[in-house]
Amino acid sequence: MEKEKMLEQPMEYRVLLKESTGEIEEKKSRFICAIRPVHSEREAAAFIEETKKKYWDARHNCSAFVIGSRQELTRCSDDGEPGGTAGRPMLEVLLGEGLCDVAAVVTRYFGGTLLGTGGLVRAYSGAVKEALSHAETGMMRYGVKLKIETDYNGVGKIQHLLGKRGILPEAEYGEGVCFVAAVPAGEAEDLQKEITEATNGKAVFTEQEKIYFVDKE
């Protein structure tokens, strides 16, 4: 069952690596957006409530979030704005960027001028886009945690082959050398063959576990 569960998961999905903010102004109304990585509906709700408390004096704190590696769970709220003018446009930006496990809250301080339906849609989606323009994102990739043991003669060759694939291993030096690296699932077999050939079969491999790991964009 565990194997079947892992096979159902995508080989990669896009995530936000840390919280980011952005702000725009439309006809003297301020739209302040905060986006944060979240991993459950509870985390998303806590983030939304935290933001509402921070901006307790604002007229609206609209929100949207996407949970799951396949964007399975989505929610949005207009928080008093006309239906469909805030939360849904915010959600569409997150989905359009292909982001998973992320929540966004846009706080509006009313500037005295009504923006109309189109203006609100542009402002709320624009605030999320502004926050994302400052954000650091990455890909969660499915792969294997691979342990590679070798003698000192093989160190340079292994480092070269890993470097060609953009893989940065942890290394432990003793009587021999032990590398531990996160390797994308589709590359593990070929990599082992390359290292075996380069070290004349002296490298020893151990697949420690199946994992998701972050690859920064």
Side-chain angles (χ1 to χ4, degrees), residues 159-168 182-184 186-195 215:
Q159 288 175 327
H160 174 69
L161 291 171
L162 293 174
K164 279 174 58 179
R165 295 174 179 268
I167 298 171
L168 300 175
V183 182
E187 299 182 28
E189 186 175 343
D190 287 343
L191 177 62
Q192 289 185 54
K193 288 179 180 178
E194 291 177 1
I195 292 176
D215 188 0

Side-chain angles (χ1 to χ4, degrees), residues 194-209:
E194 291 177 1
I195 292 176
T196 297
E197 292 176 5
T199 61
N200 296 317
K202 292 182 180 179
V204 178
F205 305 94
T206 305
E207 290 193 4
Q208 295 187 315
E209 60 179 326

